[in-house]
Amino acid sequence: MFSFLKKKDVEVEKIILPPAEVDGDKEIICSPMDGEIVPCSEIRDLTFQKEMLGTTVAIRPTVGKVYAPADGKVEMLIESLHVVSLTTTGGTEILIHVGIDTVALRGKYFKGYVKEGKEVKRGDLLLEFDVDAITNAGYEMISPVIICNTEDYSEIERVGGSAIKVGDTIMKLKK
């Protein structure tokens, strides 16, 4: 009785991706967003530019959606919704930082779809953001994708051209 009053689980958007590329014993990390890969030297924040947090691929997004780059678990979703991190089933610690200095927006123009501890599959929607509004507010949209446990790998290969789509391989990691 009154089942119509109960909250229903909201189905989170997922995109259908082809099977992840396989490259021997390397873990494949896919692009979490559509956009353009740019050199880290273009990032105006030295922490990201100098890759102080780990090996980084910088993406200038063209669409305001962030998807899971691999199967894993959400470890952290910052309250301002501009940073999400996850640990893949292979043990890779990935941090996705949308824009530069966007913490100052305090979540304005962002929407989160996951919570800490949630298991995700490659292609699950994690965040949405308004690229135009954030840019018009004066923020740089380059978004670093960082392997925080870089030291756990003997080799990290960055791959992909300048234009990138969700699901395209951006890194191959070997233990």
Short mmCIF file of all heavy atoms in Angstrom, two decimals, residues 99-166:
data_model
loop_
_atom_site.label_atom_id
_atom_site.label_comp_id
_atom_site.label_asym_id
_atom_site.label_seq_id
_atom_site.Cartn_x
_atom_site.Cartn_y
_atom_site.Cartn_z
N GLY A 99 37.93 21.43 -15.13
CA GLY A 99 38.30 22.84 -15.16
C GLY A 99 39.39 23.19 -14.15
O GLY A 99 39.82 22.36 -13.36
N ILE A 100 39.82 24.43 -14.23
CA ILE A 100 40.86 24.93 -13.34
C ILE A 100 40.26 26.02 -12.45
O ILE A 100 39.58 26.93 -12.94
CB ILE A 100 42.06 25.49 -14.16
CG1 ILE A 100 42.63 24.41 -15.08
CG2 ILE A 100 43.14 26.07 -13.24
CD1 ILE A 100 43.14 23.15 -14.39
N ASP A 101 40.50 25.91 -11.15
CA ASP A 101 39.98 26.83 -10.14
C ASP A 101 38.45 26.81 -10.03
O ASP A 101 37.85 27.71 -9.45
CB ASP A 101 40.47 28.27 -10.38
CG ASP A 101 41.98 28.38 -10.26
OD1 ASP A 101 42.57 27.63 -9.45
OD2 ASP A 101 42.57 29.21 -10.98
N THR A 102 37.80 25.80 -10.58
CA THR A 102 36.34 25.72 -10.57
C THR A 102 35.77 25.40 -9.18
O THR A 102 34.56 25.49 -8.99
CB THR A 102 35.85 24.69 -11.59
OG1 THR A 102 36.59 23.47 -11.42
CG2 THR A 102 36.04 25.20 -13.02
N VAL A 103 36.63 25.09 -8.22
CA VAL A 103 36.17 24.90 -6.85
C VAL A 103 35.46 26.17 -6.37
O VAL A 103 34.52 26.10 -5.58
CB VAL A 103 37.33 24.52 -5.90
CG1 VAL A 103 38.36 25.64 -5.80
CG2 VAL A 103 36.82 24.14 -4.52
N ALA A 104 35.88 27.33 -6.88
CA ALA A 104 35.30 28.61 -6.47
C ALA A 104 33.82 28.73 -6.87
O ALA A 104 33.09 29.54 -6.30
CB ALA A 104 36.09 29.77 -7.07
N LEU A 105 33.37 27.92 -7.80
CA LEU A 105 31.97 27.95 -8.22
C LEU A 105 31.04 27.29 -7.20
O LEU A 105 29.82 27.43 -7.28
CB LEU A 105 31.81 27.28 -9.58
CG LEU A 105 32.44 28.02 -10.76
CD1 LEU A 105 32.43 27.15 -12.01
CD2 LEU A 105 31.72 29.33 -11.00
N ARG A 106 31.61 26.52 -6.27
CA ARG A 106 30.86 25.86 -5.19
C ARG A 106 29.71 25.00 -5.71
O ARG A 106 28.62 25.00 -5.15
CB ARG A 106 30.36 26.89 -4.20
CG ARG A 106 31.45 27.62 -3.49
CD ARG A 106 30.89 28.49 -2.41
NE ARG A 106 31.97 29.19 -1.75
CZ ARG A 106 31.96 30.48 -1.51
NH1 ARG A 106 30.93 31.22 -1.84
NH2 ARG A 106 32.99 31.04 -0.89
N GLY A 107 29.95 24.34 -6.83
CA GLY A 107 28.94 23.44 -7.38
C GLY A 107 28.01 24.06 -8.40
O GLY A 107 27.25 23.35 -9.06
N LYS A 108 28.05 25.38 -8.54
CA LYS A 108 27.21 26.05 -9.54
C LYS A 108 27.63 25.55 -10.92
O LYS A 108 28.82 25.47 -11.21
CB LYS A 108 27.40 27.56 -9.44
CG LYS A 108 26.46 28.36 -10.31
CD LYS A 108 26.64 29.85 -10.07
CE LYS A 108 25.67 30.65 -10.91
NZ LYS A 108 25.87 32.10 -10.71
N TYR A 109 26.69 25.21 -11.74
CA TYR A 109 26.87 24.69 -13.09
C TYR A 109 27.28 23.22 -13.12
O TYR A 109 27.63 22.70 -14.18
CB TYR A 109 27.87 25.51 -13.91
CG TYR A 109 27.64 27.00 -13.90
CD1 TYR A 109 28.64 27.87 -13.51
CD2 TYR A 109 26.41 27.53 -14.28
CE1 TYR A 109 28.43 29.24 -13.50
CE2 TYR A 109 26.19 28.91 -14.27
CZ TYR A 109 27.20 29.75 -13.88
OH TYR A 109 27.00 31.10 -13.88
N PHE A 110 27.26 22.52 -11.98
CA PHE A 110 27.63 21.11 -11.91
C PHE A 110 26.46 20.29 -11.35
O PHE A 110 25.68 20.78 -10.54
CB PHE A 110 28.83 20.90 -10.97
CG PHE A 110 30.13 21.39 -11.51
CD1 PHE A 110 30.53 22.71 -11.31
CD2 PHE A 110 30.97 20.56 -12.23
CE1 PHE A 110 31.73 23.18 -11.81
CE2 PHE A 110 32.18 21.01 -12.74
CZ PHE A 110 32.56 22.33 -12.52
N LYS A 111 26.39 19.04 -11.76
CA LYS A 111 25.41 18.10 -11.21
C LYS A 111 26.09 16.74 -11.07
O LYS A 111 26.72 16.26 -12.01
CB LYS A 111 24.20 17.99 -12.13
CG LYS A 111 23.11 17.10 -11.58
CD LYS A 111 21.87 17.13 -12.45
CE LYS A 111 20.79 16.26 -11.83
NZ LYS A 111 19.57 16.25 -12.62
N GLY A 112 25.97 16.13 -9.89
CA GLY A 112 26.56 14.83 -9.64
C GLY A 112 25.54 13.72 -9.75
O GLY A 112 24.37 13.92 -9.42
N TYR A 113 25.99 12.56 -10.22
CA TYR A 113 25.11 11.42 -10.39
C TYR A 113 25.53 10.20 -9.57
O TYR A 113 24.89 9.17 -9.64
CB TYR A 113 25.02 11.02 -11.87
CG TYR A 113 24.25 12.04 -12.67
CD1 TYR A 113 24.91 13.07 -13.32
CD2 TYR A 113 22.87 11.98 -12.75
CE1 TYR A 113 24.20 14.02 -14.05
CE2 TYR A 113 22.15 12.93 -13.47
CZ TYR A 113 22.83 13.94 -14.11
OH TYR A 113 22.13 14.89 -14.81
N VAL A 114 26.61 10.31 -8.84
CA VAL A 114 27.11 9.18 -8.06
C VAL A 114 27.44 9.64 -6.65
O VAL A 114 27.54 10.83 -6.39
CB VAL A 114 28.37 8.55 -8.71
CG1 VAL A 114 28.02 7.88 -10.02
CG2 VAL A 114 29.47 9.56 -8.90
N LYS A 115 27.61 8.67 -5.79
CA LYS A 115 28.02 8.94 -4.41
C LYS A 115 29.28 8.14 -4.12
O LYS A 115 29.57 7.15 -4.79
CB LYS A 115 26.91 8.53 -3.44
CG LYS A 115 25.64 9.36 -3.59
CD LYS A 115 24.67 9.03 -2.47
CE LYS A 115 23.38 9.76 -2.58
NZ LYS A 115 23.38 11.16 -2.73
N GLU A 116 29.99 8.56 -3.11
CA GLU A 116 31.19 7.82 -2.69
C GLU A 116 30.79 6.39 -2.34
O GLU A 116 29.76 6.15 -1.73
CB GLU A 116 31.84 8.52 -1.50
CG GLU A 116 32.43 9.86 -1.89
CD GLU A 116 33.00 10.64 -0.72
OE1 GLU A 116 33.01 10.13 0.42
OE2 GLU A 116 33.46 11.77 -0.95
N GLY A 117 31.63 5.45 -2.76
CA GLY A 117 31.39 4.05 -2.48
C GLY A 117 30.60 3.32 -3.56
O GLY A 117 30.49 2.10 -3.53
N LYS A 118 30.05 4.05 -4.52
CA LYS A 118 29.24 3.44 -5.57
C LYS A 118 30.12 2.71 -6.58
O LYS A 118 31.11 3.23 -7.04
CB LYS A 118 28.41 4.49 -6.30
CG LYS A 118 27.60 3.91 -7.46
CD LYS A 118 26.48 4.82 -7.86
CE LYS A 118 25.70 4.33 -9.06
NZ LYS A 118 25.19 3.00 -9.01
N GLU A 119 29.72 1.50 -6.91
CA GLU A 119 30.39 0.74 -7.97
C GLU A 119 29.90 1.28 -9.31
O GLU A 119 28.69 1.52 -9.48
CB GLU A 119 30.06 -0.75 -7.86
CG GLU A 119 30.55 -1.41 -6.59
CD GLU A 119 32.06 -1.60 -6.53
OE1 GLU A 119 32.68 -1.76 -7.60
OE2 GLU A 119 32.59 -1.61 -5.41
N VAL A 120 30.82 1.49 -10.24
CA VAL A 120 30.45 2.00 -11.56
C VAL A 120 31.07 1.13 -12.64
O VAL A 120 32.07 0.45 -12.43
CB VAL A 120 30.90 3.47 -11.76
CG1 VAL A 120 30.13 4.40 -10.83
CG2 VAL A 120 32.39 3.64 -11.56
N LYS A 121 30.45 1.19 -13.80
CA LYS A 121 30.95 0.50 -14.99
C LYS A 121 31.44 1.55 -15.97
O LYS A 121 30.91 2.67 -16.01
CB LYS A 121 29.86 -0.35 -15.65
CG LYS A 121 29.37 -1.50 -14.80
CD LYS A 121 30.40 -2.57 -14.76
CE LYS A 121 29.91 -3.80 -14.03
NZ LYS A 121 30.98 -4.74 -13.81
N ARG A 122 32.40 1.19 -16.79
CA ARG A 122 32.90 2.10 -17.82
C ARG A 122 31.72 2.60 -18.63
O ARG A 122 30.89 1.82 -19.09
CB ARG A 122 33.89 1.35 -18.72
CG ARG A 122 34.57 2.20 -19.76
CD ARG A 122 35.61 1.39 -20.51
NE ARG A 122 35.00 0.35 -21.32
CZ ARG A 122 34.69 0.48 -22.61
NH1 ARG A 122 34.97 1.58 -23.25
NH2 ARG A 122 34.14 -0.51 -23.26
N GLY A 123 31.60 3.93 -18.76
CA GLY A 123 30.50 4.52 -19.50
C GLY A 123 29.36 5.02 -18.63
O GLY A 123 28.45 5.68 -19.13
N ASP A 124 29.37 4.75 -17.31
CA ASP A 124 28.34 5.29 -16.43
C ASP A 124 28.56 6.80 -16.27
O ASP A 124 29.69 7.25 -16.09
CB ASP A 124 28.39 4.66 -15.03
CG ASP A 124 27.89 3.24 -14.99
OD1 ASP A 124 27.40 2.73 -16.02
OD2 ASP A 124 28.00 2.62 -13.90
N LEU A 125 27.48 7.58 -16.29
CA LEU A 125 27.57 9.02 -16.11
C LEU A 125 27.90 9.34 -14.66
O LEU A 125 27.23 8.86 -13.74
CB LEU A 125 26.25 9.69 -16.50
CG LEU A 125 26.20 11.21 -16.39
CD1 LEU A 125 27.20 11.86 -17.35
CD2 LEU A 125 24.78 11.70 -16.69
N LEU A 126 28.96 10.14 -14.45
CA LEU A 126 29.38 10.53 -13.11
C LEU A 126 28.94 11.96 -12.79
O LEU A 126 28.43 12.24 -11.71
CB LEU A 126 30.90 10.43 -12.97
CG LEU A 126 31.55 9.09 -13.30
CD1 LEU A 126 33.06 9.19 -13.18
CD2 LEU A 126 30.99 7.98 -12.42
N LEU A 127 29.18 12.88 -13.73
CA LEU A 127 28.93 14.31 -13.53
C LEU A 127 28.42 14.94 -14.81
O LEU A 127 28.74 14.48 -15.91
CB LEU A 127 30.22 15.05 -13.17
CG LEU A 127 31.02 14.67 -11.96
CD1 LEU A 127 32.34 15.44 -11.97
CD2 LEU A 127 30.25 14.97 -10.70
N GLU A 128 27.71 16.05 -14.64
CA GLU A 128 27.40 16.94 -15.76
C GLU A 128 27.84 18.34 -15.36
O GLU A 128 27.82 18.69 -14.18
CB GLU A 128 25.89 16.98 -16.04
CG GLU A 128 25.40 15.85 -16.88
CD GLU A 128 23.92 16.02 -17.26
OE1 GLU A 128 23.12 16.42 -16.40
OE2 GLU A 128 23.61 15.72 -18.41
N PHE A 129 28.20 19.14 -16.36
CA PHE A 129 28.59 20.52 -16.10
C PHE A 129 28.29 21.35 -17.34
O PHE A 129 28.22 20.83 -18.45
CB PHE A 129 30.07 20.62 -15.71
CG PHE A 129 31.02 20.02 -16.70
CD1 PHE A 129 31.66 20.80 -17.66
CD2 PHE A 129 31.29 18.65 -16.68
CE1 PHE A 129 32.54 20.24 -18.58
CE2 PHE A 129 32.17 18.08 -17.60
CZ PHE A 129 32.79 18.88 -18.55
N ASP A 130 28.10 22.63 -17.14
CA ASP A 130 27.75 23.54 -18.23
C ASP A 130 29.02 24.22 -18.74
O ASP A 130 29.51 25.18 -18.13
CB ASP A 130 26.74 24.57 -17.74
CG ASP A 130 26.18 25.43 -18.85
OD1 ASP A 130 26.91 25.72 -19.83
OD2 ASP A 130 25.01 25.84 -18.73
N VAL A 131 29.56 23.71 -19.83
CA VAL A 131 30.83 24.21 -20.39
C VAL A 131 30.74 25.70 -20.68
O VAL A 131 31.63 26.47 -20.29
CB VAL A 131 31.20 23.45 -21.68
CG1 VAL A 131 32.45 24.04 -22.34
CG2 VAL A 131 31.41 21.96 -21.41
N ASP A 132 29.67 26.13 -21.34
CA ASP A 132 29.55 27.55 -21.72
C ASP A 132 29.44 28.46 -20.50
O ASP A 132 30.10 29.50 -20.44
CB ASP A 132 28.34 27.75 -22.63
CG ASP A 132 28.53 27.10 -24.00
OD1 ASP A 132 29.70 26.93 -24.43
OD2 ASP A 132 27.52 26.73 -24.62
N ALA A 133 28.62 28.09 -19.53
CA ALA A 133 28.45 28.92 -18.34
C ALA A 133 29.76 29.05 -17.56
O ALA A 133 30.11 30.13 -17.08
CB ALA A 133 27.34 28.37 -17.45
N ILE A 134 30.48 27.95 -17.43
CA ILE A 134 31.75 27.97 -16.69
C ILE A 134 32.78 28.81 -17.43
O ILE A 134 33.48 29.63 -16.83
CB ILE A 134 32.26 26.53 -16.43
CG1 ILE A 134 31.29 25.79 -15.51
CG2 ILE A 134 33.67 26.54 -15.85
CD1 ILE A 134 31.51 24.29 -15.41
N THR A 135 32.83 28.65 -18.75
CA THR A 135 33.76 29.46 -19.56
C THR A 135 33.39 30.93 -19.48
O THR A 135 34.26 31.79 -19.29
CB THR A 135 33.74 28.96 -21.03
OG1 THR A 135 34.12 27.59 -21.05
CG2 THR A 135 34.71 29.76 -21.88
N ASN A 136 32.09 31.23 -19.60
CA ASN A 136 31.64 32.62 -19.54
C ASN A 136 31.87 33.26 -18.17
O ASN A 136 31.97 34.48 -18.06
CB ASN A 136 30.17 32.73 -19.94
CG ASN A 136 29.96 32.45 -21.41
OD1 ASN A 136 30.87 32.60 -22.23
ND2 ASN A 136 28.75 32.02 -21.76
N ALA A 137 31.96 32.42 -17.13
CA ALA A 137 32.26 32.92 -15.79
C ALA A 137 33.76 33.17 -15.61
O ALA A 137 34.20 33.62 -14.55
CB ALA A 137 31.75 31.93 -14.74
N GLY A 138 34.54 32.87 -16.65
CA GLY A 138 35.97 33.19 -16.63
C GLY A 138 36.89 32.05 -16.23
O GLY A 138 38.07 32.28 -15.95
N TYR A 139 36.40 30.82 -16.24
CA TYR A 139 37.22 29.68 -15.82
C TYR A 139 37.74 28.91 -17.03
O TYR A 139 37.05 28.77 -18.04
CB TYR A 139 36.42 28.75 -14.91
CG TYR A 139 36.07 29.40 -13.60
CD1 TYR A 139 34.90 30.13 -13.47
CD2 TYR A 139 36.94 29.33 -12.53
CE1 TYR A 139 34.59 30.77 -12.28
CE2 TYR A 139 36.63 29.95 -11.33
CZ TYR A 139 35.47 30.68 -11.22
OH TYR A 139 35.17 31.31 -10.04
N GLU A 140 38.95 28.39 -16.90
CA GLU A 140 39.56 27.54 -17.92
C GLU A 140 38.95 26.16 -17.81
O GLU A 140 38.83 25.60 -16.71
CB GLU A 140 41.08 27.48 -17.70
CG GLU A 140 41.81 26.49 -18.55
CD GLU A 140 41.66 26.74 -20.04
OE1 GLU A 140 42.06 27.83 -20.49
OE2 GLU A 140 41.14 25.86 -20.74
N MET A 141 38.56 25.57 -18.95
CA MET A 141 37.90 24.27 -18.92
C MET A 141 38.84 23.08 -19.06
O MET A 141 38.39 21.94 -18.96
CB MET A 141 36.84 24.20 -20.03
CG MET A 141 35.54 24.93 -19.71
SD MET A 141 34.81 24.56 -18.10
CE MET A 141 34.73 22.79 -18.07
N ILE A 142 40.13 23.29 -19.29
CA ILE A 142 41.03 22.13 -19.38
C ILE A 142 40.84 21.27 -18.13
O ILE A 142 40.86 21.78 -17.00
CB ILE A 142 42.50 22.55 -19.54
CG1 ILE A 142 42.70 23.22 -20.89
CG2 ILE A 142 43.42 21.34 -19.40
CD1 ILE A 142 44.11 23.74 -21.12
N SER A 143 40.63 19.98 -18.35
CA SER A 143 40.30 19.05 -17.27
C SER A 143 41.32 17.92 -17.19
O SER A 143 41.36 17.05 -18.06
CB SER A 143 38.89 18.48 -17.52
OG SER A 143 37.94 19.53 -17.55
N PRO A 144 42.17 17.94 -16.15
CA PRO A 144 43.17 16.89 -15.98
C PRO A 144 42.54 15.56 -15.56
O PRO A 144 41.64 15.51 -14.72
CB PRO A 144 44.07 17.42 -14.86
CG PRO A 144 43.78 18.89 -14.79
CD PRO A 144 42.36 19.05 -15.21
N VAL A 145 43.03 14.48 -16.17
CA VAL A 145 42.70 13.11 -15.78
C VAL A 145 44.02 12.54 -15.28
O VAL A 145 44.98 12.40 -16.04
CB VAL A 145 42.15 12.30 -16.97
CG1 VAL A 145 41.84 10.87 -16.54
CG2 VAL A 145 40.90 12.98 -17.55
N ILE A 146 44.08 12.23 -13.99
CA ILE A 146 45.36 11.94 -13.32
C ILE A 146 45.38 10.52 -12.78
O ILE A 146 44.41 10.07 -12.14
CB ILE A 146 45.56 12.92 -12.16
CG1 ILE A 146 45.47 14.36 -12.67
CG2 ILE A 146 46.88 12.67 -11.45
CD1 ILE A 146 45.14 15.37 -11.61
N ILE A 147 46.50 9.84 -12.99
CA ILE A 147 46.74 8.54 -12.36
C ILE A 147 47.49 8.84 -11.07
O ILE A 147 48.69 9.18 -11.08
CB ILE A 147 47.57 7.60 -13.27
CG1 ILE A 147 46.90 7.42 -14.64
CG2 ILE A 147 47.81 6.26 -12.56
CD1 ILE A 147 45.49 6.88 -14.60
N CYS A 148 46.79 8.77 -9.94
CA CYS A 148 47.37 9.19 -8.66
C CYS A 148 48.38 8.20 -8.10
O CYS A 148 49.23 8.58 -7.30
CB CYS A 148 46.26 9.47 -7.65
SG CYS A 148 45.25 10.89 -8.12
N ASN A 149 48.30 6.94 -8.50
CA ASN A 149 49.26 5.95 -8.02
C ASN A 149 50.24 5.57 -9.14
O ASN A 149 50.56 4.40 -9.36
CB ASN A 149 48.57 4.72 -7.43
CG ASN A 149 47.64 4.00 -8.40
OD1 ASN A 149 47.12 4.59 -9.34
ND2 ASN A 149 47.43 2.72 -8.16
N THR A 150 50.73 6.58 -9.83
CA THR A 150 51.67 6.41 -10.93
C THR A 150 52.84 5.51 -10.55
O THR A 150 53.27 4.67 -11.34
CB THR A 150 52.20 7.80 -11.39
OG1 THR A 150 51.09 8.52 -11.96
CG2 THR A 150 53.29 7.69 -12.42
N GLU A 151 53.32 5.65 -9.33
CA GLU A 151 54.50 4.89 -8.90
C GLU A 151 54.26 3.38 -8.87
O GLU A 151 55.22 2.59 -8.83
CB GLU A 151 54.98 5.37 -7.52
CG GLU A 151 54.04 5.06 -6.36
CD GLU A 151 52.82 5.97 -6.23
OE1 GLU A 151 52.75 7.02 -6.90
OE2 GLU A 151 51.91 5.62 -5.45
N ASP A 152 53.02 2.94 -8.93
CA ASP A 152 52.70 1.50 -8.94
C ASP A 152 52.89 0.86 -10.31
O ASP A 152 52.72 -0.36 -10.45
CB ASP A 152 51.25 1.27 -8.49
CG ASP A 152 51.03 1.60 -7.02
OD1 ASP A 152 52.01 1.79 -6.28
OD2 ASP A 152 49.85 1.68 -6.62
N TYR A 153 53.21 1.67 -11.32
CA TYR A 153 53.30 1.16 -12.69
C TYR A 153 54.71 1.30 -13.24
O TYR A 153 55.38 2.31 -13.04
CB TYR A 153 52.28 1.88 -13.59
CG TYR A 153 50.89 1.60 -13.12
CD1 TYR A 153 50.26 2.44 -12.21
CD2 TYR A 153 50.23 0.44 -13.51
CE1 TYR A 153 49.00 2.15 -11.72
CE2 TYR A 153 48.97 0.14 -13.03
CZ TYR A 153 48.36 0.99 -12.14
OH TYR A 153 47.12 0.69 -11.64
N SER A 154 55.13 0.28 -13.97
CA SER A 154 56.46 0.32 -14.60
C SER A 154 56.41 1.10 -15.90
O SER A 154 57.42 1.59 -16.38
CB SER A 154 56.98 -1.10 -14.86
OG SER A 154 56.13 -1.78 -15.78
N GLU A 155 55.20 1.20 -16.46
CA GLU A 155 55.05 1.89 -17.75
C GLU A 155 53.65 2.48 -17.84
O GLU A 155 52.66 1.82 -17.52
CB GLU A 155 55.25 0.87 -18.86
CG GLU A 155 55.10 1.37 -20.25
CD GLU A 155 55.22 0.24 -21.27
OE1 GLU A 155 56.01 -0.71 -21.05
OE2 GLU A 155 54.52 0.31 -22.28
N ILE A 156 53.58 3.76 -18.25
CA ILE A 156 52.30 4.39 -18.55
C ILE A 156 52.45 5.04 -19.91
O ILE A 156 53.27 5.92 -20.11
CB ILE A 156 51.89 5.44 -17.49
CG1 ILE A 156 51.71 4.78 -16.12
CG2 ILE A 156 50.61 6.16 -17.93
CD1 ILE A 156 51.33 5.72 -15.00
N GLU A 157 51.63 4.56 -20.84
CA GLU A 157 51.66 5.07 -22.21
C GLU A 157 50.42 5.92 -22.44
O GLU A 157 49.30 5.49 -22.19
CB GLU A 157 51.68 3.89 -23.19
CG GLU A 157 51.60 4.27 -24.63
CD GLU A 157 51.42 3.06 -25.55
OE1 GLU A 157 51.41 1.91 -25.07
OE2 GLU A 157 51.29 3.30 -26.76
N ARG A 158 50.62 7.15 -22.89
CA ARG A 158 49.50 8.02 -23.25
C ARG A 158 49.22 7.80 -24.74
O ARG A 158 50.15 7.77 -25.54
CB ARG A 158 49.85 9.48 -23.02
CG ARG A 158 50.08 9.80 -21.56
CD ARG A 158 50.56 11.23 -21.43
NE ARG A 158 51.77 11.23 -20.66
CZ ARG A 158 52.06 12.11 -19.73
NH1 ARG A 158 51.25 13.09 -19.46
NH2 ARG A 158 53.18 12.03 -19.05
N VAL A 159 47.95 7.63 -25.08
CA VAL A 159 47.59 7.38 -26.48
C VAL A 159 46.42 8.26 -26.87
O VAL A 159 45.76 8.86 -26.03
CB VAL A 159 47.25 5.89 -26.72
CG1 VAL A 159 48.46 5.01 -26.54
CG2 VAL A 159 46.13 5.42 -25.80
N GLY A 160 46.16 8.32 -28.16
CA GLY A 160 45.03 9.09 -28.66
C GLY A 160 45.50 10.32 -29.42
O GLY A 160 46.59 10.83 -29.17
N GLY A 161 44.67 10.75 -30.31
CA GLY A 161 44.97 11.96 -31.07
C GLY A 161 44.50 13.18 -30.31
O GLY A 161 44.22 13.12 -29.11
N SER A 162 44.41 14.30 -31.00
CA SER A 162 43.98 15.51 -30.31
C SER A 162 42.48 15.48 -30.05
O SER A 162 42.03 15.86 -28.98
CB SER A 162 44.37 16.75 -31.11
OG SER A 162 43.76 16.73 -32.37
N ALA A 163 41.66 15.01 -31.01
CA ALA A 163 40.22 14.89 -30.78
C ALA A 163 39.96 13.55 -30.09
O ALA A 163 40.52 12.52 -30.48
CB ALA A 163 39.47 14.97 -32.10
N ILE A 164 39.12 13.56 -29.06
CA ILE A 164 38.89 12.36 -28.27
C ILE A 164 37.40 12.24 -27.97
O ILE A 164 36.72 13.24 -27.79
CB ILE A 164 39.75 12.39 -26.98
CG1 ILE A 164 39.91 11.02 -26.37
CG2 ILE A 164 39.23 13.37 -25.97
CD1 ILE A 164 41.02 10.23 -26.95
N LYS A 165 36.91 11.02 -27.93
CA LYS A 165 35.52 10.74 -27.60
C LYS A 165 35.49 9.87 -26.34
O LYS A 165 36.44 9.13 -26.05
CB LYS A 165 34.83 9.96 -28.73
CG LYS A 165 34.67 10.73 -30.02
CD LYS A 165 33.69 11.78 -29.87
CE LYS A 165 32.63 11.85 -30.90
NZ LYS A 165 31.75 12.96 -30.63
N VAL A 166 34.38 9.94 -25.63
CA VAL A 166 34.20 9.07 -24.47
C VAL A 166 34.44 7.64 -24.91
O VAL A 166 33.92 7.20 -25.93
CB VAL A 166 32.78 9.22 -23.88
CG1 VAL A 166 32.52 8.17 -22.82
CG2 VAL A 166 32.58 10.61 -23.30
#
